Amino acid sequence: QEQLVESGGGVVQPGRSLSLSCAASGFSFSSYGMHWVRQAPGKGLEWMAIIWFDGSNQYYADSVKGRFTISRDNSNNTLYLHMNSLRADDTAVYYCARLRRRGITAEFTMDVWGKGTTVTISS
Amino acid sequence: DIQMTQFPSTLSASVGDRVTITCRASQSITTWVAWYQQKPGKAPKLLIYDASSLESGVPSRFSGSGSGTDFTLTISSLQPDDFATYHCQHMGTFGQGTKLEIK
């Protein structure tokens, strides 16, 4: 079945970097845009970034622009999020999610989600 | 930037009740509005897309409507499994979430 599995979370000191991965299976990964979404403890969902199906375009939330980079490796069915200059308010569960529509689409609906990986920023 | 104001933030209801959750956009938007259900410790689950289209496998007691600035999620007859948090979304913006609790 269609599945996304995040990994790479952990406890990191403020100012350091961390990379997350999201392994996709059960669908044609290279046909779908992908998102990263996070959820701070006890808070709502916050969209982070989107990358087009072919990796040709990426867009970011203002809160992470210039610090986070979304990328993908379609040959290995894997999505990445590289996070620099981490701050305490980056502490959250990070989810990867699939765009509902294949190919180029302007909408952001997410139909397949991973279970999330927890990132804690603490000294 | 468009803001999505979701209300109520908490809703207490009983099994069998009909409930409605609203998301109001800060300006008129397209109908690219989605609704998600999230249970504690779990990932969100897509319920409704394009404001009113039911995702495959989602029970028909869930429905969505709206246009312009106001969008609603309605559960026609609450079931025990429906007590959860619900989130609306338009593009890169989520509502604040509505926690649906048992009365």
Side-chain angles (χ1 to χ4, degrees):
Chain A
Q1 74 279 23
E2 299 164 330
Q3 190 174 11
L4 298 170
V5 179
E6 302 92 340
S7 61
V11 180
V12 179
Q13 292 179 329
R16 304 296 290 265
S17 300
L18 189 68
S19 289
L20 306 181
S21 299
C22 168
S25 59
F27 66 97
S28 177
F29 178 72
S30 62
S31 297
Y32 291 90
M34 297 292 297
H35 295 275
W36 285 100
V37 175
R38 71 183 180 185
Q39 187 169 35
K43 302 296 185 183
L45 300 170
E46 181 185 15
W47 174 77
M48 295 283 92
I50 185 173
I51 186 167
W52 284 20
F53 68 101
D54 58 358
S56 61
N57 284 285
Q58 307 87 33
Y59 300 96
Y60 299 90
D62 287 344
S63 59
V64 302
K65 197 176 298 181
R67 296 192 301 126
F68 289 13
T69 301
I70 187 172
S71 62
R72 65 190 297 158
D73 180 349
N74 283 347
S75 63
N76 286 306
N77 295 335
T78 304
L79 176 73
Y80 301 100
L81 184 68
H82 185 70
M83 305 182 290
N84 289 328
S85 304
L86 285 161
R87 312 185 300 224
D89 62 358
D90 294 318
T91 294
V93 176
Y94 284 72
Y95 297 99
C96 61
R98 189 184 80 173
L99 259 175
R100 197 182 67 83
R101 290 196 171 104
R102 288 173 170 251
I104 297 174
T105 175
E107 66 147 327
F108 270 38
T109 304
M110 306 161 197
D111 69 337
V112 179
W113 293 67
K115 293 183 178 181
T117 188
T118 300
V119 173
T120 302
I121 310 304
S122 174
S123 53
Chain B
D1 289 357
I2 294 172
Q3 307 301 316
M4 298 292 283
T5 302
Q6 186 176 340
F7 54 91
S9 56
T10 306
L11 181 56
S12 296
S14 301
V15 172
D17 284 354
R18 177 184 180 91
V19 299
T20 297
I21 299 168
T22 299
C23 254
R24 178 163 293 153
S26 57
Q27 63 190 73
S28 184
I29 60 175
T30 66
T31 54
W32 286 337
V33 172
W35 290 92
Y36 302 88
Q37 177 193 67
Q38 187 179 29
K39 296 182 178 179
K42 302 295 186 181
K45 173 188 173 184
L46 178 64
L47 301 175
I48 300 288
Y49 63 93
D50 292 351
S52 60
S53 297
L54 191 68
E55 175 70 347
S56 176
V58 174
S60 59
R61 63 181 179 272
F62 292 92
S63 64
S65 65
S67 64
T69 60
D70 288 353
F71 297 85
T72 60
L73 172 71
T74 299
I75 309 173
S76 61
S77 178
L78 274 174
Q79 299 302 301
D81 191 50
D82 299 339
F83 293 95
T85 298
Y86 292 85
H87 307 272
C88 65
Q89 177 220 358
H90 172 69
M91 303 301 286
T93 302
F94 287 94
Q96 298 91 331
T98 295
K99 185 175 183 180
L100 180 53
E101 299 179 328
I102 300 175
K103 185 185 288 185

